[in-house]
Amino acid sequence: MKALVYHGPGIKSWDDVPDPRIIEPADAVIGVDATTICGTDLHILEGDVPECAVGRILGHEAVGTVEAVGSAVTTMRPGDRVLVSCISACGRCRFCREGHYGQCLGGGGWILGHKIDGTQAEYVRVPFAENSTHPIPAGMDDESVLMLADILPTAYEVGVVNGGTEPGDTVVIVGVGPIGLSAILCARLFSPAHIVAVDLADARLEAAKQLGADVTINPAREDAVALVKSLTSGLGADVAIEAVGVPDTFEMCTRLVRPGGRVANVGVHGKPATLHLEDLWIRNVTITTGLVDTWSTPTLLKLVRSGQLEASKFVTHHFKLADIIEAYDIFSRANETAALKVVLHK
Amino acid sequence: MKALVYHGPGIKSWDDVPDPRIIEPADAVIGVDATTICGTDLHILEGDVPECAVGRILGHEAVGTVEAVGSAVTTMRPGDRVLVSCISACGRCRFCREGHYGQCLGGGGWILGHKIDGTQAEYVRVPFAENSTHPIPAGMDDESVLMLADILPTAYEVGVVNGGTEPGDTVVIVGVGPIGLSAILCARLFSPAHIVAVDLADARLEAAKQLGADVTINPAREDAVALVKSLTSGLGADVAIEAVGVPDTFEMCTRLVRPGGRVANVGVHGKPATLHLEDLWIRNVTITTGLVDTWSTPTLLKLVRSGQLEASKFVTHHFKLADIIEAYDIFSRANETAALKVVLHK
Amino acid sequence: MKALVYHGPGIKSWDDVPDPRIIEPADAVIGVDATTICGTDLHILEGDVPECAVGRILGHEAVGTVEAVGSAVTTMRPGDRVLVSCISACGRCRFCREGHYGQCLGGGGWILGHKIDGTQAEYVRVPFAENSTHPIPAGMDDESVLMLADILPTAYEVGVVNGGTEPGDTVVIVGVGPIGLSAILCARLFSPAHIVAVDLADARLEAAKQLGADVTINPAREDAVALVKSLTSGLGADVAIEAVGVPDTFEMCTRLVRPGGRVANVGVHGKPATLHLEDLWIRNVTITTGLVDTWSTPTLLKLVRSGQLEASKFVTHHFKLADIIEAYDIFSRANETAALKVVLHK
Amino acid sequence: MKALVYHGPGIKSWDDVPDPRIIEPADAVIGVDATTICGTDLHILEGDVPECAVGRILGHEAVGTVEAVGSAVTTMRPGDRVLVSCISACGRCRFCREGHYGQCLGGGGWILGHKIDGTQAEYVRVPFAENSTHPIPAGMDDESVLMLADILPTAYEVGVVNGGTEPGDTVVIVGVGPIGLSAILCARLFSPAHIVAVDLADARLEAAKQLGADVTINPAREDAVALVKSLTSGLGADVAIEAVGVPDTFEMCTRLVRPGGRVANVGVHGKPATLHLEDLWIRNVTITTGLVDTWSTPTLLKLVRSGQLEASKFVTHHFKLADIIEAYDIFSRANETAALKVVLHK
């Protein structure tokens, strides 16, 4: 088959590789109908993820059709349409039993396109298949469902739910790239009184407005802390969601929240931040971090299906799978191309 | 001043009575700008509420203007616009300290128009004034705010929040009079996948649809349990809200919920119901009851103000306060008049 | 092998039967080192559980040694000591993913000794073995661990945790047979201020005292509601745990709790109860029911191991497995024999 | 009367000062029967708390007898024994209505001995008296109750409850001075499997053992992270409580917790810490900070009364109030004198 192979920092190609096959009784092989590229794939190509070996097929998101299943798989059969989650789950370890699949101790977690071959290919082997995929209800379109493989559950669980978002809250989202925009869509499910988007790029702030932010702040020319305080009787935001992954934006979040507020970190960080405990110790602040667990995927499927969540709003570009090199180019120059999510179809 | 006085079962009149005055240091006297009539007022007039003495001024909901305050009141002053909550709170007893104001042990709870004179009058004395009223932000209209005195916090707290409503849920509301319709509006704040309205009156089901129910069921000609199961892969609803107050509808709710589901009782009951523990013991069902505490009033004010909650949707009739006898007539014949909430203005 | 076989109402025998063998890839066959008899087994023998077919091997609790595993089982191997839980879990259905294993939709739930052959035998086949057993840490004795197969997680989850027990609470346990006594042990883990045991048998009340109840009430000669009110400034209990399974005790629980309190039903009921909604609608009461999910088993294992939970306190009689007919006799005449739990050893 | 007056950094004296009197209707004047010295008082004397003006009477903890009450006070009367909480609560602001008294916006919070005169005196004026004191049940001794004015609710709320401590957990407490020792007592209320005490002083570790820690670690000669991992199958602690207030111990806590664990900061910090988000972003960690709210004081009173919480275990020294200068000397040289809490009696 054909697949997008990582050949070391900066090098990838669309190669002929052997077809995947069932290895373990709980495996499935899935024919990929649609996949996408994640910011993490770019990190791997920059050489920032040393666990990802040279020769690896990238990609951890897919919508596909079951091709073959192992002997222990009883609830999936060839021909079924499934969502392949970015998180695989052994289903038996302590963390899987608690729903914390992202922390799986039994060989799952984020493994696709990372520790084993991934979804940017014509076929993909998915271990622990019954706990790592979701059946797709009839009538749902591939692109909407594909957004539930990673970005929407991440925004929902690690951002909005960890942030404890409640009706009437003021929620500030710092960084409104694809993940921050997803957080806007997901926050709206809880009817906050205000959704405030903070970003240095006006084009992103414009997109944030269209997706539901009622206040936008560009800290290059506005004082985010002062503006949020003026919205909240001087107290600060109930929830601040960090969706960038650098020290400055994290520290801004800790200044944006009110006493008793919550900072939900979603960003992937490469460096430590400074935590101003000399101010924060007395302010009853809660800070959370997290990799997505995808416990919310069935919930989000219901919400997409019933029309509450317009999951495909982020998809800006569509390609054939065979044109993935071009898709990578467009996606990696998002500032110029205005790409949010690019979808690759079979 | 003029006031609506209860003179015993079936008898009320619009009388001249002495003006209320400050008695305790924590009191305020409020000039009533708008008030409304509650189903409970009709119960009192039917003689069903023996704690309500003959001679009592009825009414427990108002929007008004502070006329005078006691010596201990420091955060309200004459001229302030305030919402008078149906629940008064001493603010110091165990239950008030826990936010369970409806269960106040210090002389509060539901007292207005019940144990002391109420709001269907030109003026009303409000005890524990700072904990029993809410300042009204500038620019909010009286009718929307008035709906936060009782009906919306009741639907929100006792129905939607006690029911544990979450995004993606299927919520069934049994009985869609004013309180059930309020529950629809409040449930929408949590983005359920389905809101199912159940009622014997088609006109009410039509109103339910307009307010946000996507499925309506008339049990006179449809099997509610079967329809809800068909919506939910055979499992049943996540949440069932009882908003009638009779044994049959309560028992229907316990049949409508899925294993692990919740029944939130909002209805005021006069008789016991049968609890089918022989079926329910194994089904992980949670049943809640409750009088409103009004802890949610500040939240609901924010939601009305930011446009998430269209609180005045229920108001069908408007009167002058002096025409309250006519308003009672219209409201008490709701089936003929299609009255939901009637508002009386100064 | 030998096994205890149900031959229809009132009839059981210790028979020669074929050895169980691996059928599905996720199965294990476990050699039974210790098992016990549950009140439910007596119900089956009384003919009250029609789903249990004639010819069934009874029993749903065991400590054993892995004899053989299916091809999909990777984390268990022959020779491992395991706890066989009363609840089997497919691990993949919606309820299993949420930790509600008792409601498993994929073929699990309470199946052992009920829908498939059980543990009162020399060997037992356990489906979904990795999600239906727990490895036993070295150094733990069989009898303590065996109590975690059903009775202690039931008391902990369905009684104490559903009841929302917190430090300083007054917890009333109505019915102090084995399950009620277990609830006393489990409630103590949360440091209530008072544990009140209610039972008609003074011998049981004596046992309750020894296990940690500080107040005992025999309703044959004392007014339980009045006594609990006198302990709680007139308010009532924070938590009432029903551990009998008849309408009277359930109804007593609803009278024992304070406004805002919780009734946790653990008892297995055969008849409906009356729910006095005419009193309860205004009292903010929460009522829960449930079959055990056994999510707490790993927690309880840690607590037994670290000495916080003396799990074997309930074991009053010890037999050889071959003497199980005698053990049934002793257990079924608990009032005369003072039997709580009887353990059958290999 | 006599009082301990702060005269600027390093200077205090036992002075004659005017008796306090009722100023506001909600005030009470309390005769001090017992008071104590807090680490915060030493901070003030070191000049670290600039909000505390020269001339201030210090102290924010007392057990006393009501001497006089303002006109709005109806539930306290002269002669009543009360606990004076370190936190005063207006009872009406948004945060007080939510139980977050420590963040009171209406003039309360930590004000005694800080922004207004405090409790190290023969009498003290307490504003918002009904929401800032607790009646003392008959038969409780002054010293036990006094420990509920600050140190025990702080350890319970900000440490143990914010940490989400549950039965079976491994709880690590970093720093076992008076507040860390209190956290041990409070953590035991939730039956953790292990309580690990970490401190550089062996004498404190010895005290920790006597109060309930089952593992002690001196990081001067042991690797705390490695030892905690060895206790927890390599995962780390469920809960880490920071009770020192310096960057190193906070950072140690973030390394001690398992994926999904919680760090509860109790220490008062003067400097920022480094937050290693490059490691933590993926580990689902929750970090909390907080000033005590004292919502738990009624709960802790019940626990002391029923014998679950031995609150006076920390009291090492007893003085007459007039000897407070000597008591300060003993308390400030805790390393030499082994002082934990010193109590000053009338």
Side-chain angles (χ1 to χ4, degrees):
Chain A
M1 69 168 184
K2 286 287 198 175
L4 193 282
V5 180
Y6 168 65
H7 292 292
I11 319 171
K12 62 182 181 297
S13 54
W14 182 241
D15 294 353
D16 284 296
V17 298
D19 283 3
R21 54 185 188 77
I22 300 295
I23 301 174
E24 302 291 341
D27 285 352
V29 170
I30 311 292
V32 174
D33 296 323
T35 186
T36 180
I37 307 171
C38 180
T40 316
D41 297 321
L42 303 184
H43 280 297
I44 292 173
L45 282 163
E46 285 157 15
D48 290 349
V49 185
E51 303 84 348
C52 184
V54 168
R56 178 73 63 238
I57 299 172
L58 297 184
H60 51 266
E61 299 160 274
V63 162
T65 304
V66 178
E67 183 75 15
V69 297
S71 62
V73 175
T74 61
T75 60
M76 301 168 67
R77 66 177 107 188
D80 287 355
R81 281 178 79 222
V82 293
L83 167 62
V84 179
S85 176
C86 65
I87 298 295
S88 302
C90 82
R92 332 184 262 233
C93 72
R94 172 238 174 107
F95 287 128
C96 283
R97 289 191 191 202
E98 294 174 3
H100 298 309
Y101 311 118
Q103 308 291 335
C104 176
L105 299 168
W110 172 37
I111 55 171
L112 289 173
H114 179 208
K115 298 180 184 167
I116 65 170
D117 285 336
T119 59
Q120 293 169 2
E122 291 177 319
Y123 297 94
V124 59
R125 180 181 74 92
V126 177
F128 316 114
E130 289 167 299
N131 282 309
S132 310
T133 64
H134 299 270
I136 302 177
M140 296 188 71
D141 71 281
D142 282 1
E143 295 203 344
S144 291
V145 175
L146 182 61
M147 296 302 113
L148 304 189
D150 180 345
I151 189 167
L152 279 166
T154 296
Y156 187 76
E157 297 175 15
V158 186
V160 172
V161 173
N162 276 2
T165 309
E166 294 190 352
D169 277 357
T170 294
V171 178
V172 183
I173 296 164
V174 178
V176 284
I179 191 76
L181 293 171
S182 296
I184 291 174
L185 276 200
C186 292
R188 282 171 55 194
L189 297 167
F190 292 92
S191 306
H194 298 292
I195 298 179
V196 182
V198 178
D199 204 296
L200 290 164
D202 289 331
R204 290 181 159 192
L205 292 175
E206 191 49 45
K209 242 182 203 164
Q210 281 167 23
L211 288 173
D214 60 311
V215 178
T216 58
I217 299 175
N218 187 325
R221 53 175 191 268
E222 295 167 299
D223 179 340
V225 172
L227 282 168
V228 169
K229 290 209 167 169
S230 74
L231 259 184
T232 53
S233 314
L235 289 178
D238 300 287
V239 182
I241 297 177
E242 204 283 346
V244 180
V246 301
D248 274 1
T249 47
F250 178 81
E251 289 159 39
M252 178 189 284
C253 285
T254 64
R255 287 192 307 273
L256 285 168
V257 290
R258 66 166 172 86
R262 297 177 70 97
V263 173
N265 185 78
V266 186
V268 175
H269 290 258
K271 282 188 273 188
T274 301
L275 188 68
H276 287 284
L277 283 173
E278 76 280 17
D279 297 325
L280 295 170
W281 77 267
I282 201 170
R283 299 188 81 233
N284 295 22
V285 169
T286 299
I287 297 167
T288 58
T289 71
L291 180 68
V292 67
D293 287 317
T294 68
W295 58 261
S296 68
T297 307
T299 297
L300 297 173
L301 273 167
K302 283 193 258 179
L303 288 163
V304 171
R305 206 177 169 200
S306 68
Q308 267 85 359
L309 185 62
E310 295 176 277
S312 61
K313 283 246 173 175
F314 304 115
V315 180
T316 51
H317 294 74
H318 316 263
F319 297 90
K320 298 297 288 181
L321 183 52
D323 298 326
I324 191 166
I325 298 290
E326 184 191 345
Y328 260 95
D329 177 62
I330 296 288
F331 181 68
S332 63
R333 295 185 294 113
N335 280 344
E336 298 157 53
T337 62
L340 292 172
K341 287 298 273 185
V342 304
V343 174
L344 300 138
H345 290 275
K346 185 182 167 179
Chain B
M1 69 167 183
K2 286 288 198 175
L4 193 282
V5 179
Y6 169 64
H7 292 291
I11 319 171
K12 63 180 180 296
S13 53
W14 181 241
D15 293 354
D16 284 296
V17 298
D19 284 2
R21 54 185 187 79
I22 300 296
I23 300 175
E24 300 292 340
D27 285 353
V29 170
I30 311 291
V32 174
D33 295 323
T35 185
T36 179
I37 307 171
C38 179
T40 316
D41 297 320
L42 302 184
H43 280 296
I44 292 173
L45 282 163
E46 285 157 15
D48 290 349
V49 184
E51 304 84 347
C52 184
V54 168
R56 179 72 62 240
I57 299 172
L58 297 184
H60 50 267
E61 300 161 273
V63 162
T65 304
V66 177
E67 182 76 14
V69 298
S71 61
V73 175
T74 60
T75 60
M76 301 168 69
R77 64 178 107 187
D80 287 355
R81 280 178 79 221
V82 294
L83 167 63
V84 178
S85 176
C86 65
I87 298 296
S88 302
C90 82
R92 330 184 264 231
C93 72
R94 173 238 174 106
F95 288 128
C96 283
R97 288 191 192 203
E98 294 175 3
H100 298 310
Y101 311 118
Q103 307 292 335
C104 176
L105 299 168
W110 173 37
I111 55 171
L112 290 172
H114 180 209
K115 298 180 184 167
I116 64 170
D117 286 335
T119 59
Q120 292 169 2
E122 292 178 318
Y123 296 94
V124 58
R125 181 181 72 95
V126 178
F128 315 115
E130 289 168 299
N131 281 310
S132 308
T133 65
H134 299 270
I136 302 177
M140 297 187 72
D141 71 280
D142 282 2
E143 294 203 344
S144 292
V145 174
L146 182 61
M147 296 302 111
L148 305 190
D150 181 345
I151 190 168
L152 280 166
T154 295
Y156 186 78
E157 298 175 14
V158 186
V160 172
V161 173
N162 276 1
T165 309
E166 293 190 354
D169 276 358
T170 294
V171 178
V172 183
I173 297 163
V174 178
V176 284
I179 191 77
L181 293 171
S182 296
I184 291 174
L185 276 201
C186 292
R188 282 170 57 194
L189 296 168
F190 292 92
S191 305
H194 298 293
I195 297 179
V196 182
V198 178
D199 204 295
L200 290 164
D202 288 333
R204 289 180 160 194
L205 291 174
E206 191 48 46
K209 240 182 205 164
Q210 281 167 23
L211 288 173
D214 61 310
V215 179
T216 59
I217 300 175
N218 187 326
R221 52 175 192 270
E222 296 167 298
D223 179 339
V225 172
L227 282 168
V228 168
K229 290 209 167 168
S230 74
L231 259 185
T232 53
S233 313
L235 288 178
D238 301 286
V239 183
I241 297 177
E242 206 282 346
V244 180
V246 301
D248 274 1
T249 47
F250 177 82
E251 289 158 40
M252 178 190 283
C253 285
T254 64
R255 289 193 307 273
L256 286 168
V257 289
R258 66 167 173 85
R262 299 177 69 98
V263 174
N265 185 79
V266 187
V268 175
H269 290 259
K271 283 189 273 188
T274 301
L275 189 67
H276 287 283
L277 283 173
E278 75 281 16
D279 298 325
L280 295 170
W281 76 267
I282 202 170
R283 298 189 82 233
N284 295 24
V285 169
T286 300
I287 297 167
T288 58
T289 70
L291 179 69
V292 67
D293 288 317
T294 69
W295 59 260
S296 68
T297 308
T299 296
L300 298 173
L301 272 168
K302 284 192 256 180
L303 289 163
V304 171
R305 203 177 172 200
S306 68
Q308 267 85 356
L309 186 62
E310 295 176 276
S312 60
K313 282 245 174 179
F314 304 115
V315 180
T316 52
H317 294 73
H318 315 262
F319 297 91
K320 297 297 288 180
L321 183 52
D323 298 328
I324 190 166
I325 298 289
E326 183 191 346
Y328 260 95
D329 177 61
I330 295 287
F331 182 67
S332 63
R333 295 185 294 113
N335 280 345
E336 298 158 54
T337 62
L340 293 171
K341 287 298 271 184
V342 303
V343 174
L344 300 138
H345 290 275
K346 183 182 168 179
Chain C
M1 69 168 183
K2 286 288 197 175
L4 193 282
V5 180
Y6 170 64
H7 291 291
I11 320 172
K12 62 181 180 296
S13 53
W14 182 241
D15 294 354
D16 283 296
V17 298
D19 283 2
R21 55 186 186 76
I22 299 296
I23 301 175
E24 300 292 341
D27 285 352
V29 170
I30 310 292
V32 174
D33 296 322
T35 186
T36 179
I37 307 170
C38 179
T40 316
D41 297 320
L42 303 184
H43 280 295
I44 292 172
L45 282 164
E46 284 156 18
D48 290 349
V49 185
E51 303 85 346
C52 184
V54 167
R56 177 73 64 238
I57 299 172
L58 298 184
H60 50 267
E61 301 161 273
V63 163
T65 304
V66 178
E67 182 77 14
V69 298
S71 63
V73 175
T74 61
T75 60
M76 299 169 69
R77 65 177 107 187
D80 287 355
R81 282 177 79 221
V82 293
L83 166 63
V84 179
S85 176
C86 65
I87 298 295
S88 302
C90 82
R92 331 184 264 232
C93 72
R94 173 237 175 105
F95 287 128
C96 283
R97 288 193 192 202
E98 294 175 3
H100 298 309
Y101 311 117
Q103 307 292 334
C104 176
L105 299 168
W110 173 38
I111 55 172
L112 290 174
H114 179 209
K115 298 179 184 169
I116 65 170
D117 286 335
T119 59
Q120 292 168 2
E122 291 177 320
Y123 296 94
V124 59
R125 181 181 73 92
V126 178
F128 316 114
E130 289 167 298
N131 281 310
S132 308
T133 64
H134 299 270
I136 302 177
M140 296 187 71
D141 70 282
D142 282 2
E143 296 203 343
S144 292
V145 175
L146 182 61
M147 296 302 112
L148 305 189
D150 182 345
I151 191 168
L152 280 166
T154 296
Y156 186 77
E157 297 175 15
V158 186
V160 172
V161 173
N162 277 1
T165 310
E166 294 190 353
D169 277 357
T170 294
V171 178
V172 183
I173 296 163
V174 178
V176 284
I179 191 76
L181 293 171
S182 296
I184 292 174
L185 276 200
C186 292
R188 281 170 56 193
L189 297 167
F190 292 91
S191 306
H194 298 292
I195 297 179
V196 182
V198 178
D199 204 295
L200 290 164
D202 289 331
R204 288 181 161 193
L205 292 175
E206 191 49 45
K209 240 182 206 165
Q210 281 167 23
L211 287 173
D214 60 309
V215 179
T216 59
I217 300 176
N218 188 327
R221 53 175 191 269
E222 294 166 298
D223 180 340
V225 172
L227 282 168
V228 168
K229 289 207 169 170
S230 73
L231 259 184
T232 53
S233 314
L235 288 177
D238 300 287
V239 182
I241 297 177
E242 205 282 348
V244 180
V246 302
D248 274 0
T249 47
F250 177 81
E251 289 159 40
M252 178 189 284
C253 286
T254 64
R255 288 193 307 273
L256 285 168
V257 290
R258 65 166 173 87
R262 298 177 69 99
V263 174
N265 185 78
V266 187
V268 175
H269 290 258
K271 282 189 272 188
T274 301
L275 188 67
H276 287 283
L277 283 172
E278 76 281 17
D279 298 324
L280 294 170
W281 76 268
I282 201 170
R283 299 188 80 233
N284 295 23
V285 168
T286 299
I287 297 168
T288 59
T289 71
L291 180 68
V292 68
D293 288 317
T294 68
W295 58 261
S296 68
T297 308
T299 297
L300 298 173
L301 273 167
K302 283 192 257 180
L303 288 163
V304 171
R305 205 178 170 198
S306 67
Q308 267 85 357
L309 186 62
E310 294 176 276
S312 60
K313 283 245 173 177
F314 304 114
V315 180
T316 51
H317 294 73
H318 316 263
F319 296 90
K320 297 298 287 179
L321 184 51
D323 298 327
I324 189 165
I325 298 289
E326 183 191 346
Y328 260 95
D329 177 61
I330 295 288
F331 182 67
S332 64
R333 296 185 293 113
N335 280 344
E336 298 157 54
T337 62
L340 293 171
K341 288 298 272 184
V342 304
V343 174
L344 300 138
H345 289 275
K346 185 180 165 180
Chain D
M1 70 168 183
K2 286 287 195 175
L4 194 281
V5 180
Y6 169 64
H7 292 291
I11 318 172
K12 63 180 180 294
S13 53
W14 182 242
D15 294 354
D16 283 295
V17 298
D19 283 2
R21 55 187 185 76
I22 300 296
I23 301 176
E24 301 290 341
D27 286 351
V29 170
I30 311 292
V32 174
D33 295 323
T35 186
T36 178
I37 307 171
C38 179
T40 316
D41 297 321
L42 303 184
H43 280 296
I44 292 173
L45 282 163
E46 285 157 15
D48 289 349
V49 185
E51 303 85 348
C52 184
V54 168
R56 178 72 63 240
I57 299 172
L58 297 185
H60 50 267
E61 300 161 274
V63 162
T65 304
V66 178
E67 183 76 14
V69 298
S71 62
V73 175
T74 61
T75 61
M76 301 168 68
R77 64 177 108 188
D80 287 356
R81 280 178 80 220
V82 294
L83 167 62
V84 178
S85 176
C86 65
I87 298 295
S88 302
C90 83
R92 333 184 262 232
C93 72
R94 174 239 173 106
F95 288 127
C96 282
R97 287 191 192 203
E98 295 174 3
H100 298 308
Y101 311 118
Q103 307 291 334
C104 176
L105 299 168
W110 172 38
I111 54 171
L112 289 174
H114 179 209
K115 298 179 185 169
I116 64 170
D117 286 336
T119 58
Q120 293 168 2
E122 291 177 319
Y123 296 93
V124 58
R125 181 181 72 93
V126 178
F128 316 115
E130 289 167 299
N131 281 310
S132 309
T133 65
H134 299 271
I136 301 177
M140 297 188 70
D141 69 282
D142 282 2
E143 295 203 343
S144 292
V145 175
L146 182 60
M147 296 302 112
L148 304 189
D150 181 346
I151 190 167
L152 281 166
T154 295
Y156 186 78
E157 298 175 15
V158 185
V160 172
V161 173
N162 276 1
T165 309
E166 294 190 354
D169 277 357
T170 294
V171 178
V172 183
I173 295 163
V174 178
V176 284
I179 191 77
L181 293 172
S182 296
I184 291 174
L185 276 201
C186 291
R188 282 171 56 194
L189 296 168
F190 292 91
S191 306
H194 298 293
I195 297 179
V196 181
V198 178
D199 204 294
L200 290 163
D202 288 333
R204 289 181 160 192
L205 292 175
E206 192 48 47
K209 240 183 206 165
Q210 280 167 23
L211 287 174
D214 61 309
V215 179
T216 59
I217 299 175
N218 186 327
R221 53 175 190 269
E222 294 167 298
D223 179 340
V225 171
L227 282 169
V228 168
K229 290 207 167 171
S230 74
L231 260 185
T232 54
S233 313
L235 288 178
D238 300 287
V239 182
I241 297 177
E242 204 282 347
V244 179
V246 302
D248 274 1
T249 47
F250 178 80
E251 288 159 40
M252 178 189 284
C253 284
T254 64
R255 288 193 306 274
L256 285 168
V257 289
R258 66 166 173 86
R262 299 177 68 97
V263 174
N265 185 79
V266 186
V268 175
H269 290 259
K271 282 188 271 188
T274 301
L275 189 68
H276 287 283
L277 283 172
E278 76 281 16
D279 297 324
L280 295 170
W281 77 268
I282 202 170
R283 300 188 81 232
N284 295 23
V285 168
T286 300
I287 297 167
T288 58
T289 70
L291 180 69
V292 67
D293 287 319
T294 67
W295 59 261
S296 68
T297 307
T299 297
L300 298 173
L301 273 167
K302 283 193 256 180
L303 289 163
V304 171
R305 205 176 168 199
S306 67
Q308 266 85 358
L309 185 63
E310 295 176 274
S312 60
K313 282 246 175 176
F314 304 116
V315 180
T316 51
H317 295 72
H318 315 263
F319 296 90
K320 298 297 286 179
L321 184 52
D323 299 327
I324 190 165
I325 298 290
E326 182 190 347
Y328 260 95
D329 177 61
I330 294 288
F331 182 67
S332 63
R333 296 185 294 112
N335 280 345
E336 298 157 53
T337 61
L340 293 171
K341 288 297 272 185
V342 303
V343 174
L344 299 138
H345 288 276
K346 184 180 165 179

